[in-house]
């Protein structure tokens, strides 16, 4: 394996790890939203912190994704549809805001 291939593999591994962490954070937010739906009044405070963390992760993933695509080409990047996830979270947050 060439040094360039080693770097590509390492960069892809880091990006995949960031996406995995992001997806875990999304799942946590979904669980908190389910608790709100069930009437748990303590969750909105926790949700704010989760949303902040989720946004930070999203920004880092987008930067990593852009860097990876610039370095290795977009065709090689196997990236989760982050925009779809972000839109889904946005819609759920809108529903939460409407209830508050």
């Amino acid at each position: 394996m060439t040094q360039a291939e080693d770097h590509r593999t390492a960069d892809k591994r880091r990006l995949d790890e960031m996406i995995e962490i992001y997806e875990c954070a999304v799942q946590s937010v979904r669980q908190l939203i389910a608790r709100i739906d069930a009437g748990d009044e303590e969750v909105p405070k926790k949700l704010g912190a989760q949303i902040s963390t989720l946004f930070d992760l999203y920004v880092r993933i987008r930067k990593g994704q852009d860097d990876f695509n610039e370095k290795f080409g977009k065709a090689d990047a196997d990236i989760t549809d982050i925009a779809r996830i972000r839109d889904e979270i946005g819609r759920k947050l809108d529903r939460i805001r409407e209830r508050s």
Side-chain angles (χ1 to χ4, degrees), residues 72-83:
F72 300 108
K74 191 169 185 163
D76 290 336
D78 181 23
I79 306 300
T80 301
D81 187 1
I82 295 173

Side-chain angles (χ1 to χ4, degrees), residues 38-75:
D40 187 340
E41 295 179 9
E42 290 295 317
V43 173
K45 295 174 188 173
K46 295 176 186 176
L47 189 59
Q50 289 285 341
I51 291 168
S52 177
T53 300
L54 191 61
F55 181 75
D56 291 343
L57 287 169
Y58 174 75
V59 169
R60 288 181 180 181
I61 288 170
R62 292 301 300 203
K63 170 102 174 76
Q65 184 179 25
D66 291 344
D67 291 349
F68 184 87
N69 290 343
E70 184 177 312
K71 192 171 184 180
F72 300 108
K74 191 169 185 163

